[in-house]
Structures are given as C-alpha cells and as structure tokens.
Amino acid sequence: MSEPTMTEPPTAVDLADRRVRKPLARRSWLRRLRGTSAGHPLWRQPLTVVSVTILVAWLLIAALAPLIAPYDPLAQHAATYLPPSGAHPFGTDELGRDILSRLVYGARLSIPLALVIVALALAVGGVLGLVAGYLGRFVDEALMRLTDLVFAFPQIILAMAVSAAFGPSTRNAVLALVIVSWPVYARVIRSAVLTVRGEDYLHAARLLGVGPIRALRRDVVPNSVGPAVVLATLELGNAVLMLAALSFLGLGPRPPAPEWGAMIALGSHDLSKWWVSVFPGLAILTVVLAFNILGDALRDRIDPRYAKGRET
Amino acid sequence: MSGSALLSLDRLAVTLPGGVPVIHDATLHVEPGEIVGIAGESGSGKSLTAAALLNLLPAGSRVTGGATFAGEDLLGLDRAGWRRIRGAGISMVFQDPTAALHPMLPIGRQLTEHMRRHLGLSRSDARARAVELLDQVRIPDPQRTLRSYPHQFSGGMRQRVAIAIALACRPKLLIADEPTTALDVTVQAGILALLSRLRDETGLSVLFITHDLGVLSALTSRTYVFYAGRVMETGPTGALLSTPRHPYTAALLGARPHGAAGVGSLRPIPGSPVVPGQAPPGCPFAPRCDFATADCTSAPPEPAPIGTDRLSACPVAPELEVTP
Amino acid sequence: MTAPLLDIDELAVEYRSRARGAVRAVAGVSLSVAAGEIVGLVGESGCGKSSLARAAVGLTAPHAGTVRFDGRPVTPVRWAKRPAAEVGLQMVFQNPYASLNPRRRIGDQIADGLPAGLPREQVRGRVAELLDRVGMGADTAAKYPHQFSGGQRQRLAIARALAGEPSMIIADEPVTALDASSQAQVVNLLVRLVRELGMGMLFISHDLALVRQIADRTAVMYLGKVVEVAPTARLWSAPSHPYTRALIDAVPTIAARPELPAVLAGEVPDPANAPSGCRFRPRCPAAFESCVDEPALLPIGDRASVACWLTTNGATA
C-alpha cells in the first residue's frame, strides 16, 4: 500500500499521481532560478540573464583586450611564478608573464575560435544532414555510415589524431574539431528533415506545384534547423573545452599564444603554483557554463513540448 | 434531489489554478444502476467535471459546492480516502485506452496487481478474477490475453481491456470519458452493448461523457447538456432529444447529420464555443443564440423546472418551439 | 455521360513493413468521380481509404493500377515540380494542425498555389479573395497558423487548396479532428464551394451519417476493397452488401424508442493476412459456400455495384 506503482489502480490513481509528483527538472527552486522557460521571456530567467551577462562580458574583454590587460601578454615582466599580488592579481607564470593579461588576450583566441568551429561544423553538418534527409535512399545511407565512422571513435581521441596528423597549429586544431563535430549536426538536422518530410504542410505545398527546392527552402529548412541551432549553442561550450584540451596537449595554437588550455598545461607540472592553472580553468568554466545555460534556455523555447503552453 | 442517489453534485464549482473558472454550479445526480449522459463540446467542462470526481484536477484548483458519493463527502477526503474511492468506488475509462495501459507489462499483471493490493486477493484468486473480468468484457481467450501486451490488441479490444481494469475492484460508478470517440462505429456498438449489459448484470452506474447525441440516445436514461461549464438542460434522454427545451440542445441537434440523404447541408451553430475564463456575463450561449434577448446578457439564468423531470437554464424555454 | 473527372482504375497500394512483410492497404479499387459530383468513401480505420486518397492525389506511388485526372494519368509527386495540369487535383487533409506550416504566414502559404511571377498587388488581392471565399478576413493573410482554432485552420487549408483552382478535391477526413459546431461549418463550406465552383469531390470519412448527408454517391470500403457503391439514398435505404448493412446498423440514432446499435461479430483482420475468398466472409452473418471465391464488384443497376455473391448470384439479399 506504500508508493503507488505504474500498474496501480484504475488508471486514475496513476494519472492523479503524475499530476501531484513533479518531475525533477520542474522542481520549484530550479524553476524559479531558470524562470518557467515557456511562459516567461528570457530576461525573466535569472540564470539565463547571468549567463548572457557573462558571455557579453567575455566578448567585451576580448574586444577591448589592449585596454584592459595591464601588461603585454607575451612579454616577461617579473620574476617567474609570482603568486597573486596587487601588481599581478592572478600572479605570473614560468616565464614571468602576467597571467591576467594572458587570460584577457586568451579570450580573443578561445571564444572566436569556438564560434568558428561551431559555425563550420553546423554549416557542413547542416547541409549534409539536409541532403541526406531530403534525398533519402542511397545518399542518406552513405552519409549516415560516414557519421557512424566518426562516431565510432571518442571525439577527443579522434581530434587528437587528426590534428597530430595535420601538424600542430591553430588552423589544424580548428579543422580537426570541425571534422569530429559535424556528424552531430548532420544527424540532428537529418532526423528533423525526415519528420518534416512526412508533414502534410509539405505535401500540400508540393501538390500546389511548389518545386522541391523552393519547398526545401520554405517548408523544410525553417522547420528543421531549430534543434541544430540549440545544439550549436550547447556545443560552443564543448568547442572551448576541446580546443583547450588540444592546446593542453600541445596540438592547438602554438606557444607563446595565450590559449587557455595551453596555460593550464603550463601549471599542471607543479600544482603548488596553483594560480597558473586555476585562473585559466575558471575562465573556461565560466564560458562553458554560460554557453550551456543559454543553450538550455533556447531549447526550452524551441522545444514544441514547452512551446504548446504558450500558444493556447 | 433524491436521497438514495449514488452520486450527487450540488452546485459544484471548479476554478483552475490561475483563477480560471471552468465549472459553475453544476448540480447532477446518478442513481444506482443508472447510465447517465453528459453532452457537450470541447471546453464545456464535461471532462473537468469527471476529473473533479476523482480528484484529478491540476494541483491548486479550487472546488466549492457539494459532492457526495454513496453518502460520503468527496470534497472532504484525504489522500487515503481518495485512494479508497478510486478503484473500489469510482473508476474511469478514457478516450485513449493506450493512456491507461502500461505498454511494457502483460495485461494479466496490470489486471491482477491492484486487485491483490486493493482486494487482498491471493495470486491465484486474482488470476481467476482477471479471467472472469476479461470474459465479462468479451475478450476471446482470456487465459492467453493475460500473457499478452497492449500493443497486440486493436483499439476496440484495448478499450475492453481498459474497462476490465476499471471494473477490477468492483466500482459502483464508472466514469466513461468519450470512450468510443476514437473507435469505429461497429466497435463502438460493441462497447455500448458491453456497458449496457454490465449495468443490467452487475448494477453498475455509468456516467457517460460524449459529444455524440446518437450514442446518448441509444445508451443513457438521462442526460445533462453542458456548455461553458454550466448545465444548460437536463432530463430523460428521449424527451430531451425529441423536444429540446434549451436553444443550445436544439442547436447541437441541428448541427449533427440527421436527415435524409441528399439534403446537402447541416445547420451549424454560428460563432465558436466559449473559451474557459472568457464567458460573457450573462448566459454563455447568448452570443450564439437565435432566441437571445436583452435579459440574457445580464446574468446567467438559473436552471428552472419544466414539467416534473426536466430542467432548463433558459427563460424562454417554456415557449420554445424548436424543431430538432 | 462524359469521361469522369477522376478515374481510379484497379489501384493497389502496398507498404513494406519489416514485421509483416508486404501489406496491401489498397487491393485493387476502381472508383470514379464526375465533375459536380460528391462521392463519399466510407470504411473503418485500416480499410485503406486514406492510402487510396494519397495514391489518388499522387502523394504515394501506386503499386499497380492507374489514376487519371481529367483524362491524363496522375504522376506521383517526386523530384520534379508537379505538372500544371495536375494542380487542379487538390487535397484537404485530416489534421489542420499539421497541414499548415507553423512558421509561415497564412498569406504566403496560400500564395504558393498562385502562378509564379504574379505582381505583388495581384497576389495580395487574390489571397484576400480566397480568404473571403472561406469566410476569413483579409487581415488573416499576415497571421500565423497558431493564432487560429482548428475549424478556422481547416478553412485556411481549404483556401490554400482553392489557390490551385482545383476542379477536383480529395478531402481525407476533413472534419474528424474538429468540434461538433465547427464540423458542420466546415462541411457546409466544402459542399457549398464544390457546388458553386462545379468541382468534383471525393469525401473520405468514417462518419456514415455525415457522408449520407452530403454525398451523391457512396462507396464502402472493407479491407482494401470497395464492396459496394451506390447512389447515397439507395445505399442507405437498400444496402446490398452485408457489410454496408452492418455499418449502417451500427450507427447510433436518435429515436423515440432507443435501442442499442447492432453489433457486428469479430474484428477487422490484419491486411497483411487478408482472408481468402470474400474478405468479409469470416464476419459475415450471411456467408455461404460461394464465398470461398472472391466476388467481383459487379453493376446492379442505376450507378450501383456490389461485390457479394448474395446479390450477383441471383439469391435474395
């Protein structure tokens, strides 16, 4: 007689309990922090506001780096491994460079590169996914097996292998990351296109004599890109992380470029010099988290299951 | 109304969270062994009335008025009280039987599990009763059905299984919310015959919610016509459908295909149904009504008796000459 | 009589399903609709009426048989643009929530059916005219589908179909998803348009009473085959096929002395394993020896045909 199970009485109990029990994600405190996503405008969701603020701040920092950074990020100004102090708030690294200045300039690398990686992957994956979903048959089969091939390896291992094969450089790291990340977009767009292909509004348009290309542009694309755009926002954080990982391993931007991942690597040999790693780590953390929260908020907006409540 | 009623609602009113009033002063009763119909379009509050009877309203809804079932005050029940009422007192079948059946569990387990919990039956007794129930709802080969899964059945068979589950704990009242709307006519005929037979054989009471007036005519003895959360008219089904005493009932009759072939058109009700929470101050049907007068827009009319066994919430009802 | 506007000849539609193999949803159906005529097609779910509709309009390729519209064969819509001559064959879909693109303005969707290269002013005028035809205001054009109720959306979907200046409309359960009061409104609109514009309409529905009300002729489908077709009045007053009779008897009616609708024994078999001989045989109250052979759909007088040995053998129905 304790907790009712799914098979409990006449369907009524089950239904009642479903209404009483709140799914974890809809718990009230979480909800209040995030805003009710569906009903509220984005600016009424505190977490989203915070993450947007963080991202805007990082973009400003990147844009205004020369004005903000107290020192030249590449020059040696002081003794090596100075702990945080008034002159060097985040301390200095093994070459006596100011870590705060390097972080500020690092934003000019990490954030734009993440945007480029995601934009390229979305473009490549999006087009291939559209083609696969819309044409179907042989093309679909071939493209999907190709995505399987990429999915068969852990993403970071494959990215390491590709960028090692191309030789370590910023451009090759970006290429490697695009190569390992496009299949996700292709899959997402393809399944969205497959759904739209069965929709009656597409059939109705084709029956009225709308050609396949025009139908693709007006009916298929607008109704299938939503999930991929959300995914792209979520993946921006991932791109920052993966780029940092490649740099950490020496496969990204070459030293002395102030890439955050490479900066962490410098501090990883001696953890007693914690400030060398911790501050770039925090920079990565804030950016990744902000992108993820923003992506979540976007998904709640676009996901039709939440959108329904708005329409009525 | 009658002291012996199995279920009686006295001016029941329901307000959903957010302050949207959806049911106003619904007064209704169901006698033991009676099949009573509720008619109405979507948004009429007919399904919410059923939800109120099983405490299935969204959390935060406000319910006022009276609701008694077998002498027990429903609105004063606690969680344990509701658990007792649901299943052994009132149970429900829905339009979509798949919603009521767990897709991954065999039918037998879904039938027996809660009989064992609620009725305290042993495994073999529950099994025997399950076979009996499936036989009662005319499922061929009940023994095999116990081991089958919901997806192996057609829509009509699934609805029969859902009814068997609803009947498992011997409820006194079955609320059927559009149980045949999604079914084909030949399958619907089977379900209607089944409910009628269950009433005859076991004295089951049924509150049958539907928008199909033909089904009401065939199955029910009395009908309540709901519109915008109010009872517009009530009376014996036959009289109500042959001589409607409310313009809305008449309009519903006119809008349904009824006549001889080749007539070529239906008489639609002008306008569209009231959106809950946006009802006009007077009679909710007034904006769509051919008979509306200035009085109709001031306050919603109270249901008033017509003859001995009918009520109509329309002041022009006594003079109403409407041909269905 | 001149050649029918829509002529479906021995159409068969098959689906391949991994679990059940080839499923013959439509197993050789012949049906025609003349200009100005409304033909009702009734049958229970799974009888193949929607598959028939989709194949007839060209949304799926038939497995066998032909569909002719205005004398020329209908080509399945694939990678090419639909030939202009076939745009006069339009469809109204069941679910008005899925048949309008949620992300495009109503006006743009209706304009899809107008000739390309029309000046903007004329497009606007024509769209307003079409909206007016279905009883919607010209300001509707700038709105999106979610701003409308189901009944209104179905009107908009009808306006869009009209943009193709159809002479033939296939309506697949067009009011099933709607409320009682919008049902009557939309049905009346469709019938009025068909009559005013002299179109033909194939009206597919599971609601016999509704079809009885509007159709000139009615065809009854069972398990992928048409079992009877007759002028609607005759079909109702004197059904020849036992299945037609069972369907009619199962419709609950409002009567002074109400009685429960008659129950038809058994269940519709899986089309993947249709019974041999007459497909209705296992459920038919009148089945006899001849029924092990499949009866053909044979004419029995004035525009009526039936596929039943009871009638075509000369035995009493």
Side-chain angles (χ1 to χ4, degrees), chain C residues 279-298:
Chain C
R279 298 173 164 232
F280 188 56
R281 180 173 53 127
R283 305 174 73 189
C284 184
F288 63 114
E289 319 81 74
S290 302
C291 303
V292 294
D293 296 318
E294 186 158 6
L297 186 69
L298 295 174

Side-chain angles (χ1 to χ4, degrees), chain A residues 85-155:
Chain A
S85 64
H88 299 281
F90 290 177
T92 61
D93 67 8
E94 59 173 1
L95 296 174
R97 296 174 296 200
D98 179 52
I99 290 180
L100 173 63
S101 303
R102 288 178 65 75
L103 275 186
V104 167
Y105 274 91
R108 293 190 141 189
L109 276 177
S110 293
I111 296 173
L113 285 180
L115 287 170
V116 168
I117 291 165
V118 167
L120 285 176
L122 178 63
V124 172
V127 168
L128 292 181
L130 267 177
V131 168
Y134 202 51
L135 294 183
R137 292 168 180 255
F138 170 74
V139 181
D140 185 28
E141 198 62 27
L143 281 169
M144 286 308 109
R145 294 296 79 78
L146 191 60
T147 63
D148 284 345
L149 198 69
V150 178
F151 280 134
F153 301 94
Q155 221 179 7

Side-chain angles (χ1 to χ4, degrees), chain B residues 41-42 154 156-157 160 181 183-190 192-193 196 211-215 217-219 238 241-242 252-253 255-273 288, chain C residues 43-46 49 149 179-185 187-188 191 195 206-215 232-233 236 243 246-247 249-256 258-264 267-268 283:
Chain B
E41 296 174 86
S42 61
S154 65
M157 283 295 162
R160 281 168 192 266
T181 303
L183 304 177
D184 284 311
V185 277
T186 57
V187 181
Q188 166 174 278
L192 299 185
S196 174
H211 66 278
D212 187 330
L213 302 181
V215 169
S217 172
L219 186 70
L241 295 180
S242 58
L252 274 184
L253 280 162
R256 85 187 276 280
H258 50 80
V263 172
S265 72
L266 310 165
R267 277 182 298 165
I269 309 174
S272 44
R288 309 173 73 186
Chain C
E44 297 181 278
S45 44
K49 53 191 193 303
S149 71
D179 246 329
S181 55
S182 352
Q183 274 198 4
Q185 290 175 7
V187 166
N188 278 359
V191 171
R195 300 292 187 218
H206 71 285
D207 186 341
L208 276 84
L210 184 60
V211 168
R212 178 190 187 188
Q213 194 86 23
I214 63 168
T232 305
W236 275 81
Y243 178 64
L247 268 186
D249 288 347
V251 177
T253 51
I254 296 179
E259 49 185 47
L260 288 168
V263 178
L264 173 64
E267 291 241 312
V268 180
R283 305 174 73 189

Side-chain angles (χ1 to χ4, degrees), chain A residues 1 7 9-12 16 19, chain B residues 56 83 86-87 94 100 105 113 118:
Chain A
M1 257 291 138
T7 51
T11 68
R19 283 177 203 199
Chain B
L56 292 177
R83 199 168 292 182
R86 291 180 198 142
F94 300 90
L105 292 176
E113 193 153 293
H118 279 246

